Amino acid sequence: MQRAALRALCGAARAPPARFFRAALPVLAADKESLLQLRRRTGLPFLRCQEALLRCGGDMGQAEAWLQEQARQQGWSKATQVGGRRTREGLVGLLREGPAAVMVEVNCETDFVARTPEFQRLVEEAALGTMAHCRAAAAPPAACTKHMLQADELAQLRTGAGGGPLRDHLALAIGKLGENLTLRRAAWLRVPEGDGYIAAYTHGWLPAPVATGPPVAMGTYGALVACQVPEPRPSVATLEEVGRKVAQHVVGMAPTAVGTPQDQPRGGGEEEEEEETRLLAQSFLLEPGLTVGQFLGARGGPLAVRDFLRFHCGEETPPSAG
């Protein structure tokens, strides 16, 4: 009996010490669905989303708000680190809504980041914020109006009622993408609702739409052309066709002024024609035998160009238009 007791005591002495583990909280099926949903909403890693849900007792709204605040803080910190890097890539975004149209330029460091849904969403948010600002800025105009926004003004715009400023969206994107990003500029054109029309064209690779609202066209070049429409008013299909061709010409030939319908190319040589900067006097890109003014007279009925905007992503000195 004593020997058995001694063997038991010796065995216990030789046994390894007990270890205590803190078991992870089980994730139920409902929690997994919440985790996936939170991941889709925020684009943040699963572990961060799980941490947010645990901190907030499974409340989706609180978890998302906590994650966004954390991401903003990390984004501002990251923005300080990468702020000196050059941003020559990016996208131009265009949005048309009736008699108003906006164009924005958002820049990044690499073409790879420009192709990501996160970056494209930032371009979309910038366009939506600029359109909201355009709509609220003034009453519908009696003539064509144009307005330019620089980077600091653009960063203060909000994407909608109750939405945060674009600078916060920029910080979130920097935190997620790890590159320096800049809201470079924005502009809008507005025309009278009765006899106005705005044509648009983007050039370059076109990403798949990421918008859930109005579609924002994207490319590396963009142009908006404000027109006065004659009576009888041409069909929508004709306006779209003619307007798109003129906007395409603006992208390709980079005019700096509208000119008048009576303008003819300066000089007669090929070199002088290439140096012509008045839109209506330029040789039309798609029909070189005509000037733009002559093309509009023949196809537009005549459609009268009042103003235009042209952006080239990453250009050093934006050309003035007017």
Side-chain angles (χ1 to χ4, degrees), residues 36-222:
L36 290 171
Q37 188 175 352
L38 191 58
R39 171 72 173 85
R40 285 193 295 267
R41 285 186 184 181
T42 64
L44 295 171
F46 279 107
L47 289 178
R48 294 290 285 168
C49 293
Q50 186 178 37
E51 180 186 357
L53 287 170
L54 291 174
R55 281 176 174 271
C56 301
D59 186 290
M60 284 286 295
Q62 292 182 21
E64 184 173 359
W66 183 83
L67 281 171
Q68 297 287 11
E69 179 58 30
Q70 294 294 308
R72 266 191 293 272
Q73 292 178 10
Q74 292 177 6
W76 286 118
S77 175
K78 186 67 176 178
T80 302
Q81 298 173 22
V82 302
R85 298 180 187 173
R86 304 189 73 173
T87 54
R88 289 190 169 184
E89 301 294 334
L91 286 171
V92 171
L94 303 183
L95 175 61
R96 288 190 297 173
E97 288 185 2
V102 304
M103 185 157 56
V104 300
E105 181 185 348
V106 183
N107 299 127
C108 55
E109 295 179 47
T110 64
D111 180 68
F112 173 79
V113 161
R115 295 175 181 269
T116 62
E118 290 83 2
F119 182 81
Q120 294 166 27
R121 194 169 293 111
L122 181 61
V123 178
E124 175 189 294
E125 289 165 345
L128 292 172
T130 304
M131 179 60 76
H133 185 50
C134 170
R135 292 290 192 185
C144 171
T145 60
K146 178 169 63 176
H147 186 74
M148 305 292 294
L149 291 170
Q150 299 305 316
D152 56 342
E153 299 173 287
L154 181 57
Q156 297 175 38
L157 300 185
R158 296 180 180 270
T159 56
L166 282 171
R167 62 174 177 268
D168 284 353
H169 293 269
L170 178 68
L172 282 171
I174 290 174
K176 290 178 182 179
L177 296 170
E179 279 196 6
N180 190 24
L181 312 177
T182 53
L183 298 165
R184 184 178 184 190
R185 53 179 170 165
W188 76 63
L189 287 174
R190 295 184 72 182
V191 294
E193 293 193 31
D195 63 351
Y197 172 77
I198 300 178
Y201 176 74
T202 56
H203 181 79
W205 64 272
L206 302 179
V210 296
T212 55
V216 176
M218 301 181 195
T220 51
Y221 292 80

Side-chain angles (χ1 to χ4, degrees), residues 235-266:
S235 68
V236 173
T238 298
L239 286 176
E240 286 289 329
E241 178 191 1
V242 175
R244 177 182 172 82
K245 288 181 177 180
V246 176
Q248 187 175 358
H249 172 94
V250 170
V251 164
M253 300 301 291
T256 60
V258 174
T260 69
Q262 292 73 39
D263 286 341
Q264 295 296 321
R266 298 186 179 97

Side-chain angles (χ1 to χ4, degrees), residues 21-27 50 54:
F21 295 92
R22 184 177 179 181
L25 292 176
V27 180
Q50 186 178 37
L54 291 174

